C-alpha cells in the first residue's frame, strides 16, 4: 500500500503516480484540506489560478484513491460534497503515545515564581503567533512578571516574528530552535503550561487535529488555547485547560494570567489530560483501524 499526504497536494500526487506504476493500492491521507486551507490563510491575495489547479488536483486524488483517511471528522462531509465516495472515507485522528511521556515525570514547579508557557510547533501563517506576541506585550504592559513564554520550532514566519519581538522589546518571550521528537518529553517536563494556538479562521474550528495538543495532554501539561470547536471540546471534556476567544491578544493574556494564578496558589485542577488521551487519543487505539483498512485493500 502506498500512502500520500496533504499538505501538499503535489507530494500526494507523486505517491499516487508511484502506486499506479507499481500497481498498488493508493491511500490519500488528508491532513489539511486544500485548497480550502490556502484560501482561508491567503484571503483576498489567493491566486485564483492556484486555487483552480489545487481544486482539480484534490478532487482527482479523492477520485483516484482506493481509500481516504481524514484526521478531522468534519472533513468526511467536506470531501463527500466534492463527489468522493463516502464509503471509502475513514476517520483516524492524530493522537499521542502516552508511553513516550511516562519516563519524564512532571516537575513540581508550584514554588517557582515564574511559570513557563511553551509553544512547540510550526511558526507559519496558520499558527497565528502574532497574536501571542500581542499577548506577551499586553502582559508586560500589565507588569505581569510571573509568565515566561518559550517558542520551540521553526517555520516561514519565524524570522518575521523574531524581528517583531525585538522591535517591540518583548522581554518575556524566548525563541528556541526545533528539537528532536525524543527530546520533547524532557522539554515538557520542565514547562508549566502548553499553548495551543491557531489563526482565527473558520476552517480551523473543526477541520484540524493538532499533534501538539495531544502531546501536551499526554505529558500532563495544562493547556491554554484560542482554538474553538474541536480543540476547545477536547480541552474542556478532558478537564485539561482554559479556552479563550480566537484572534484576541488581550483575551489570550487574560487566560494566561488565569492559568498562572491557578498554577501558583494550588495544585492545578487541569490534570485530566493523560487519562483523556489514554481513553480517546492513544495511537494504539487507531492501529486496528489502519490495519483493517490496509488488509481490506489487499484482499
Amino acid at each position: 500500500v502506498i500512502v500520500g499526504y496533504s499538505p501538499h497536494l503535489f507530494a500526494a500526487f507523486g505517491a499516487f503516480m508511484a502506486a499506479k506504476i507499481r500497481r498498488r493500492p493508493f491511500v490519500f491521507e488528508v491532513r489539511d484540506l486544500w485548497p480550502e486551507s490556502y484560501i482561508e490563510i491567503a484571503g483576498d491575495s489567493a491566486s485564483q489560478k492556484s486555487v483552480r489547479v489545487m481544486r482539480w488536483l484534490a478532487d482527482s486524488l479523492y477520485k483516484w484513491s482506493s481509500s481516504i483517511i481524514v484526521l478531522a471528522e468534519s472533513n468526511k462531509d467536506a470531501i463527500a460534497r466534492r463527489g468522493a465516495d463516502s464509503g471509502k472515507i475513514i476517520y483516524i485522528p492524530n493522537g499521542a503515545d502516552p508511553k513516550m511521556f511516562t519516563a519524564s515525570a512532571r516537575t513540581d514547579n508550584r514554588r517557582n515564581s515564574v511559570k513557563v508557557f511553551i509553544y512547540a510547533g510550526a511558526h507559519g501563517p496558520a499558527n497565528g503567533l502574532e497574536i501571542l506576541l500581542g499577548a506577551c506585550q499586553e502582559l508586560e504592559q500589565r507588569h505581569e512578571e510571573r509568565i515566561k513564554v518559550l517558542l520551540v520550532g521553526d517555520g516561514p514566519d519565524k524570522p518575521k516574528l523574531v524581528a517583531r519581538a525585538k522591535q517591540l522589546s518583548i522581554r518575556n518571550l524566548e525563541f528556541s530552535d526545533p528539537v528532536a521528537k525524543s527530546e520533547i518529553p524532557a522539554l515538557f517536563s520542565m514547562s508549566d503550561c502548553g499553548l495551543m494556538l491557531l489563526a482565527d479562521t473558520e476552517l480551523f474550528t473543526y477541520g484540524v487535529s493538532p499533534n501538539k495538543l495531544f502531546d501536551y495532554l499526554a505529558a500532563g501539561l495544562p493547556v491554554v488555547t484560542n482554538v474553538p470547536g474541536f480543540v476547545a471540546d477536547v480541552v474542556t471534556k478532558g478537564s485539561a485547560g482554559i479556552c479563550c476567544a480566537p484572534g484576541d491578544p488581550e483575551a489570550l493574556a487574560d487566560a494566561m494570567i488565569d492559568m498562572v494564578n491557578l498554577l501558583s496558589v494550588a495544585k492545578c485542577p487541569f490534570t485530566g489530560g493523560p487519562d483523556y488521551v489514554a481513553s480517546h487519543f492513544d495511537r494504539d487505539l487507531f492501529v486496528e483501524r489502519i490495519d483493517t483498512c490496509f488488509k481490506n485493500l489487499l484482499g
Side-chain angles (χ1 to χ4, degrees):
V1 175
I2 294 181
V3 185
Y5 303 87
S6 70
H8 55 76
L9 294 174
F10 295 102
F13 178 73
F16 164 73
M17 291 303 298
K20 188 174 181 65
I21 291 168
R22 296 175 184 230
R23 298 181 181 179
R24 299 295 180 186
F26 169 64
V27 175
F28 184 24
E29 180 170 298
V30 181
R31 305 187 73 83
D32 287 308
L33 282 177
W34 285 83
E36 291 86 349
S37 295
Y38 169 62
I39 295 169
E40 286 276 5
I41 297 300
D44 293 337
S45 65
S47 163
Q48 293 307 306
K49 183 178 179 180
S50 296
V51 169
R52 287 194 297 272
V53 170
M54 284 189 273
R55 178 78 280 162
W56 173 83
L57 188 51
D59 287 349
S60 297
L61 289 168
Y62 298 149
K63 178 182 178 181
W64 296 333
S65 62
S66 302
S67 183
I68 302 170
I69 295 175
V70 296
L71 277 67
E73 193 163 19
S74 65
N75 288 346
K76 292 173 64 176
D77 293 335
I79 292 171
R81 286 195 297 270
R82 298 300 308 177
D85 178 3
S86 59
K88 67 180 183 182
I89 304 174
I90 305 169
Y91 169 54
I92 306 178
N94 273 322
D97 180 7
K99 297 184 291 295
M100 178 179 174
F101 297 95
T102 54
S104 297
R106 291 279 301 115
T107 303
D108 187 352
N109 294 328
R110 279 178 290 172
R111 295 182 181 180
N112 294 349
S113 58
V114 177
K115 306 300 180 185
V116 177
F117 285 62
I118 188 169
Y119 172 89
H123 296 42
N127 306 107
L129 294 180
E130 67 279 354
I131 300 298
L132 179 57
L133 265 62
C136 288
Q137 188 179 25
E138 178 70 21
L139 292 170
E140 289 195 336
Q141 290 173 353
R142 299 185 194 182
H143 306 288
E144 176 55 75
E145 299 180 348
R146 298 173 298 167
I147 295 175
K148 176 183 177 181
V149 175
L150 177 62
L151 284 87
V152 181
D154 207 350
D157 280 4
K158 186 169 184 177
K160 179 176 67 176
L161 293 166
V162 172
R164 181 61 174 162
K166 185 176 181 180
Q167 179 187 19
L168 296 174
S169 299
I170 298 176
R171 299 180 300 277
N172 57 6
L173 177 65
E174 178 182 341
F175 291 90
S176 179
D177 292 334
V179 301
K181 186 76 171 178
S182 59
E183 297 177 37
I184 288 291
L187 185 67
F188 284 3
S189 72
M190 296 182 289
S191 305
D192 299 282
C193 179
L195 292 169
M196 178 58 240
L197 310 173
L198 284 174
D200 182 14
T201 65
E202 184 179 355
L203 181 64
F204 293 158
T205 300
Y206 292 99
V208 294
S209 180
N211 263 322
K212 67 176 72 66
L213 171 64
F214 305 116
D215 284 345
Y216 289 153
L217 301 187
L221 279 176
V223 173
V224 168
T225 184
N226 67 351
V227 187
F230 172 75
V231 171
D233 287 347
V234 170
V235 171
T236 301
K237 292 176 181 177
S239 300
I242 296 174
C243 308
C244 65
D248 187 340
E250 290 189 15
L252 180 56
D254 289 340
M256 294 168 73
I257 290 173
D258 289 343
M259 180 62 76
V260 82
N261 286 338
L262 290 168
L263 292 170
S264 300
V265 300
K267 184 177 180 181
C268 181
F270 304 121
T271 58
D275 288 341
Y276 194 72
V277 166
S279 299
H280 297 86
F281 295 100
D282 186 331
R283 286 178 185 164
D284 287 347
L285 298 174
F286 308 135
V287 170
E288 186 174 347
R289 294 189 204 176
I290 296 175
D291 184 55
T292 300
C293 169
F294 287 178
K295 283 179 177 176
N296 288 339
L297 294 177
L298 296 171

